[in-house]
Amino acid sequence: MSVFLTATQEVPVIQKVWNLVDWVITHFDLSVNAATIANITGAFLCILVPYLLGSISPAILISRRVCGADIRTLGRGTAGTYNMLLSCGTKMAAVSALCEFLIGFAAVWFGRLVWEANGAGLALFFVVFGNLFPVFHRFSGGKGVVTVLGSAAALNPIVALLLIIVFVLSTFAAKLVAFGSIAMAGLYPFFVKAFANNGLQLAAAVFVTFVVVFAHRKNYLRVQEGKEEKFFFGDYFKKKKAEGDDNDE
């Protein structure tokens, strides 16, 4: 099936939403050549806008303002949520993660509104790619994990819920956040296949898996060298509570 067929011909009725490309083609009764140009323009928008959205790094912006330093110069040297947690605390990490989640969600919904299922597939990949390689921050960003969750929620909330469950259980079992992130990314295409089942979305999910795994390459080395610290949920929150009690005194 041609990728230039509009998504209303590709997805079940329950998944259909209004989209710009279909509206332009039908409203102006475009010829085949003009309709092809409209599809190409829609695809370009679904690449550019999500990439620029993904390039807005909440971790970098928040850390500069609140922590007094670029998060990439602290801790693990990345703009990931876990580094925010370790370097700037629970509250700032939560705010950063929420913003990153909403960016992923908004990017994929933008893709759906412009070019429906096809647009969502392109947006899915490029918003995550933007998070890893942000044009606004010299192409040095986060690891895409929370952005993946936001984009998944826009595709299908069930996919996002399953990814969260996989992440939490894997991290809890291995005591390694990187392991949870990789397990989540590895299962992402299978969940997209099961609950979204659009060719371009599935291809994008596969590419997202590769880039997220690539982003965690330094974690693999630390695990092999025995330098990757274990993460215990209970110990972490007990430590934060103790620090809070000390501050109160």
Side-chain angles (χ1 to χ4, degrees):
M1 183 178 289
S2 171
V3 75
F4 291 122
L5 291 177
T6 52
T8 50
Q9 298 169 284
E10 299 179 2
V11 294
V13 173
I14 195 171
Q15 294 183 11
K16 290 182 180 179
V17 296
W18 179 91
N19 70 90
L20 180 62
V21 171
D22 270 1
W23 182 84
V24 168
I25 291 172
T26 56
H27 184 77
F28 295 101
D29 194 21
L30 299 183
S31 64
V32 173
N33 289 337
T36 299
I37 293 172
N39 275 287
I40 292 173
T41 302
F44 177 75
L45 288 173
C46 294
I47 291 172
L48 180 63
V49 174
Y51 174 71
L52 293 178
L53 283 174
S55 292
I56 301 170
S57 175
I60 295 174
L61 298 175
I62 291 171
S63 64
R64 285 175 176 172
R65 189 170 188 85
V66 177
C67 303
D70 190 320
I71 189 64
R72 294 171 297 179
T73 66
L74 303 173
R76 292 165 163 255
T78 67
T81 299
Y82 186 43
N83 196 32
M84 281 290 290
L85 182 68
L86 296 176
S87 303
C88 294
T90 307
K91 291 181 180 179
M92 291 304 101
V95 172
S96 174
L98 177 60
C99 293
E100 194 174 316
F101 180 93
L102 292 175
I103 285 172
F105 187 92
V108 172
W109 258 104
F110 173 83
R112 291 186 71 176
L113 291 174
V114 171
W115 208 32
E116 207 158 322
N118 290 331
L122 288 174
L124 186 158
F125 174 73
F126 280 96
V127 68
V128 176
F129 190 80
N131 180 267
L132 270 67
F133 308 104
V135 66
F136 303 132
H137 304 290
R138 299 181 180 179
F139 304 101
S140 175
K143 295 190 176 181
V145 175
V146 180
T147 307
V148 166
L149 289 175
S151 66
L155 284 182
N156 190 309
I158 296 176
V159 174
L161 179 60
L162 290 173
L163 291 176
I164 292 172
I165 292 172
V166 168
F167 174 79
V168 172
L169 293 180
S170 300
T171 300
F172 184 82
K175 305 298 186 295
L176 293 169
V177 173
F179 182 80
S181 301
I182 294 166
M184 186 193 80
L187 289 174
Y188 190 27
F190 296 98
F191 293 150
V192 170
K193 173 65 176 176
F195 295 99
N197 198 22
N198 168 268
L200 197 54
Q201 291 175 10
L202 180 59
V206 171
F207 282 116
V208 162
T209 295
F210 281 112
V211 296
V212 170
V213 170
F214 174 78
H216 286 81
R217 64 194 182 281
K218 292 183 180 178
N219 297 88
Y220 314 144
L221 296 176
R222 285 196 291 266
V223 170
Q224 291 175 352
E225 296 170 356
K227 297 179 180 178
E228 183 79 352
E229 72 272 17
K230 298 286 186 176
F231 182 81
F232 298 89
F233 289 100
D235 290 350
Y236 174 82
F237 289 109
K238 285 179 183 177
K239 177 183 176 183
K240 288 298 179 184
K241 185 177 184 303
E243 290 175 354
D245 292 341
D246 291 341
N247 291 336
D248 290 341
E249 293 175 5

